[in-house]
Amino acid sequence: MLRTHTCGELRLDHVNQKVTLAGWVQRVRNKGGLIWVDLRDRYGVTQLIFEEGSTEKELLEKAAQLGREFVIQASGKVIERTSKNDKIPTGAIEIKAEELTVLNPAKVPPFIIEDETDGGDDLRMKYRYLDLRRGVVREKLQLRHRMMQETRKYMDGQGFIEVETPVLIKSTPEGARDFVVPSRVNPGEFYALPQSPQTFKQLLMVSGFDRYFQIVKCFRDEDLRADRQPEFTQIDCEMSFVNQEDILMTFEGLVKSLFREVKGIELGEVDRMTFEDAMKGYGNDKPDLRFGMKFVELDHLAKGKGFSIFDQAELVVGINAQGAAGYTRKQVDELTDWVKRPQIGAKGLVYVRYNEDGSLKSSVDKFYSQEDLSAWAEAFGAKPGDLMLVLSGDAKSTRKQLSELRLKMGEDLGLRDRNVFKPLWVIDFPLLEWDEETQRYHAMHHPFTSPKREDIPLLESDPGSVRANAYDLVINGVEIGGGSIRIHDRATQQLMFTHLGFTPEEAQKQFGFLMEAFEYGAPPHGGIAFGFDRLCAIFGGSDSIRDYIAFPKNNSGRDVMIDTPSTISEDQLQELSIKVALKK
């Protein structure tokens, strides 16, 4: 070994020991006859000291030539620091250097490699291998490692077997766009990269592996954002001979175990809410329960008073922002402008301020008396000091708009504390959702999700009302996992394909292997997949999953460090029987 200890290891107990360290030069402070060098590796930072009089002149000159990010080896005696640094674990000691070897000099890095850096996102992604030297980035990947190990430990303890499934699979028409891979030995034919191992984990259940899991790479050719990458990682799981309750309890246990072992937090009870209640009360299917502001519908109180905007609306609904009555008129106008942005799409915002003296002031005083507004306040459960905010319009879009406003108010009022965690199971999703563009129903989750048995007759008469045996786990307004009880017999699966618009020939071509497998004794089964990157981001208190991926892509799906995607040679294209014809 080129070192006896790491740069984060030495303490006062090591004083007077002769040690050898190796690492990167973080900074050099040269006071002429006295030089300090901060030496860094992934374990920490240790200070080296070179002092005129006690250090050989040649060694002092060598130390003076060191630059940032030089890779060096240094040997010397551990001594107690006279001026201690309580900000780092090694701050009570330093190394009185006696030997110095430059293992590799370095160019001046394009940005400062410290927790507080001067490098922007684009620059740091181009030099990601340098960015990974920064402690704040390294800590995120260490958190990811810890969570991966604790996941495997829990799953192994529950009797699950880790099985790897293929990466080159068959393209399917449902879900997001596939990434496709040409086959050289089968000209004109293509593999797809898996969006998930869905059919394979079901086939493992048919095979008798009744508890499977995999920490697996998945691929989707989608538009990107902070919590989405073209390649991402799932904790993929499947179980046989279980019902929905068995799965919820098993994987509630996983999440509780991760919080306990990684963050030292006991989660407590995990609430449950139907999809219908989530949409009605919070306007989305992944409500953030760290704060209140549950929706209150005002149709019966607000309509019929001569205010045409409300009278003509399908829905009048609002939230109560506790303690926000102090918002100025300017602040309320800014909120109005915010909800009227194209991204939100509201036509306006009505407010009611509940003043500390008990009076009520609103933007619609012309149409509503104090008695009317008092009835609103009672419906909201509002008290003096609160601010009620009301939107109206068609039901679906208005709920979505109010959901965005609720999240903004929660953020502005400091109610979305990153150190508070509120998990929630959302259950009873619709099986199907109508797509206006294609004018047909699509599977809300995927085509293998089992409908509630009692709702199967509705597939013919009212397909939009059929509930699925599906469930999502949400933490702080972020969906971190979702799954379902699966269809496990050919007849029901064929019925599902029919209602999704597949002809029997299309279903056979795409999924014939799965339906045939169901005829060989498929057990009842179900599962769940967790977005591992999102889970890591929540544990680390970040909005972006990119921070928890060693080599992420940018918002255009490019890896700017290795400059890909890129063109390939004409010889390769010919070998693959591919001709490129770019759209103009």
Side-chain angles (χ1 to χ4, degrees):
M1 297 289 288
L2 297 185
R3 59 189 178 187
T4 60
H5 297 78
T6 70
C7 294
E9 187 176 351
L10 299 173
R11 303 290 188 272
L12 285 172
D13 293 345
H14 296 94
V15 166
N16 291 325
Q17 288 187 24
K18 176 76 178 290
V19 300
T20 300
L21 303 182
W24 288 263
V25 173
Q26 177 134 328
R27 68 176 69 88
V28 178
R29 299 186 298 284
N30 190 337
K31 301 296 184 182
L34 188 61
I35 299 175
W36 291 281
V37 175
D38 288 347
L39 189 63
R40 180 194 72 239
D41 61 13
R42 81 173 175 94
Y43 304 97
V45 176
T46 298
Q47 180 171 282
L48 312 178
I49 183 170
F50 301 81
E51 191 171 5
E52 192 173 40
S54 58
T55 301
E56 293 180 5
K57 182 180 179 181
E58 183 182 348
L59 184 59
L60 196 65
E61 290 174 351
K62 198 172 185 180
Q65 300 301 311
L66 295 176
R68 282 181 178 264
E69 303 309 308
F70 275 43
V71 183
I72 67 171
Q73 180 190 51
S75 298
K77 185 181 289 186
V78 182
I79 62 173
E80 184 174 358
R81 283 173 66 162
T82 53
S83 179
K84 295 181 172 59
N85 181 356
D86 60 4
K87 292 183 173 61
I88 58 174
T90 60
I93 60 92
E94 59 190 354
I95 309 300
K96 189 174 180 59
E98 299 169 1
E99 298 175 46
L100 175 63
T101 303
V102 176
L103 300 172
N104 207 341
K107 294 195 300 184
V108 176
F111 55 87
I112 297 172
I113 301 175
E114 295 186 14
D115 288 359
E116 296 297 327
T117 182
D118 58 350
D121 286 349
D122 292 341
L123 186 63
R124 289 187 292 106
M125 286 191 73
K126 180 175 175 60
Y127 296 95
R128 181 63 169 174
Y129 50 87
L130 297 180
D131 195 35
L132 289 170
R133 293 181 188 174
R134 296 196 305 128
V136 290
V137 180
R138 184 178 62 250
E139 286 166 8
K140 288 177 170 62
L141 290 180
Q142 288 175 178
L143 171 66
R144 182 186 180 98
H145 163 79
R146 178 83 189 281
M147 292 183 66
M148 197 171 281
Q149 302 315 307
E150 292 297 338
T151 296
R152 286 194 163 99
K153 185 191 300 182
Y154 176 86
M155 299 301 284
D156 183 61
Q158 296 293 315
F160 284 79
I161 298 173
E162 187 167 6
V163 182
E164 294 172 287
T165 53
V167 174
L168 296 175
I169 66 166
K170 186 184 187 72
S171 182
T172 59
E174 291 291 318
R177 294 184 197 91
D178 289 324
F179 283 102
V180 294
V181 181
S183 171
R184 178 184 58 80
V185 296
N186 300 282
E189 296 185 321
F190 296 82
Y191 300 104
L193 301 181
Q195 296 183 32
S196 81
Q198 181 61 46
T199 54
F200 289 101
K201 63 183 180 182
Q202 290 192 251
L203 290 171
L204 285 170
M205 296 302 103
V206 178
S207 303
F209 290 82
D210 66 336
R211 291 195 168 205
Y212 142 90
F213 89 101
Q214 185 181 187
I215 299 177
V216 60
K217 278 286 185 191
C218 301
F219 307 86
R220 292 179 187 171
D221 187 7
E222 296 181 302
D223 294 334
L224 306 183
R225 57 189 187 214
D227 63 345
R228 184 179 286 169
Q229 285 273 298
E231 52 182 314
F232 57 97
T233 304
Q234 285 185 350
I235 308 172
D236 198 57
C237 315
E238 200 80 2
M239 304 170 71
S240 292
F241 304 113
V242 291
N243 57 31
Q244 179 174 296
E245 187 65 23
D246 297 320
I247 292 175
L248 299 193
M249 295 310 295
T250 299
F251 294 103
E252 191 173 303
L254 169 62
V255 173
K256 286 181 176 180
S257 176
L258 289 174
F259 270 98
R260 181 169 56 251
E261 299 300 327
V262 177
K263 292 192 71 71
I265 292 174
E266 293 292 342
L267 269 192
E269 186 176 350
V270 179
D271 291 336
R272 298 186 185 184
M273 185 182 299
T274 65
F275 172 85
E276 184 178 359
D277 287 343
M279 296 303 294
K280 189 173 182 179
Y282 300 93
N284 67 56
D285 58 4
K286 44 183 185 294
D288 186 344
L289 298 187
R290 284 174 293 181
F291 63 102
M293 294 193 215
K294 189 174 180 180
F295 292 5
V296 174
E297 296 184 8
L298 299 173
D299 291 355
H300 61 298
L301 297 173
K303 290 185 177 184
K305 301 288 184 176
F307 185 46
S308 62
I309 292 174
F310 282 178
D311 290 344
Q312 295 168 11
E314 182 183 358
L315 177 67
V316 181
V317 63
I319 55 174
N320 179 38
Q322 294 182 358
Y327 266 44
T328 64
R329 180 59 187 265
K330 180 183 177 184
Q331 286 176 297
V332 174
D333 287 345
E334 287 172 349
L335 280 180
T336 303
D337 291 340
W338 188 85
V339 299
K340 290 168 73 174
R341 295 181 311 153
Q343 302 96 309
I344 307 299
K347 293 180 179 177
L349 174 67
V350 169
Y351 74 87
V352 182
R353 183 182 286 113
Y354 203 147
N355 297 315
E356 294 291 352
D357 64 5
S359 64
L360 293 153
K361 172 64 180 172
S362 83
S363 53
V364 287
D365 283 345
K366 179 180 176 181
F367 301 96
Y368 298 94
S369 66
Q370 286 287 299
E371 290 74 18
D372 292 331
L373 298 178
S374 292
W376 290 23
E378 185 177 352
F380 278 114
K383 297 179 175 58
D386 292 350
L387 178 68
M388 291 158 272
L389 302 170
V390 182
L391 297 178
S392 63
D394 69 271
K396 186 176 181 179
S397 59
T398 301
R399 286 196 174 100
K400 185 176 180 181
Q401 293 155 8
L402 189 61
S403 173
E404 296 294 335
L405 178 60
R406 174 181 177 270
L407 292 174
K408 176 175 172 54
M409 293 303 297
E411 191 70 42
D412 291 352
L413 295 172
L415 302 176
R416 303 181 74 185
D417 188 342
R418 293 183 186 274
N419 297 310
V420 173
F421 300 95
K422 290 291 186 181
L424 169 73
W425 285 110
V426 179
I427 59 175
D428 292 353
F429 281 83
L431 182 71
L432 307 169
E433 57 184 344
W434 182 256
D435 181 51
E436 288 292 342
E437 188 174 330
T438 59
Q439 288 292 297
R440 68 179 181 89
Y441 282 103
H442 289 258
M444 191 166 201
H445 284 76
H446 54 65
F448 315 108
T449 299
S450 171
K452 296 275 188 182
R453 285 290 168 189
E454 60 271 27
D455 288 358
I456 288 179
L458 294 174
L459 280 169
E460 297 293 342
S461 59
D462 188 9
S465 297
V466 179
R467 295 168 300 158
N469 261 322
Y471 34 82
D472 281 355
L473 184 60
V474 175
I475 299 179
N476 295 357
V478 178
E479 177 202 329
I480 62 154
S484 65
I485 299 296
R486 323 299 188 190
I487 297 169
H488 68 279
D489 65 281
R490 181 171 188 132
T492 306
Q493 188 64 73
Q494 184 65 64
L495 180 65
M496 182 68 170
F497 285 143
T498 299
H499 284 281
L500 290 172
F502 287 78
T503 66
E505 293 74 24
E506 288 172 334
Q508 180 62 32
K509 181 180 178 182
Q510 294 291 337
F511 302 110
F513 66 94
L514 183 64
M515 291 192 290
E516 183 177 12
F518 288 165
E519 295 182 300
Y520 286 96
H525 59 280
I528 192 169
F530 291 94
F532 186 62
D533 311 295
R534 288 185 185 180
L535 196 57
C536 290
I538 286 176
F539 272 59
S542 302
D543 292 323
S544 174
I545 65 172
R546 186 187 293 172
D547 299 336
Y548 298 84
I549 298 172
F551 298 103
K553 308 291 189 291
N554 69 10
N555 287 341
S556 300
R558 296 194 67 83
D559 185 327
V560 294
M561 182 183 68
I562 62 174
D563 192 22
T564 192
S566 58
T567 57
I568 61 175
S569 71
E570 189 63 35
D571 288 345
Q572 284 179 290
L573 289 171
Q574 288 182 10
E575 192 174 35
L576 295 168
S577 303
I578 290 176
K579 184 176 181 180
V580 176
L582 297 177
K583 290 182 179 180
K584 294 182 179 180

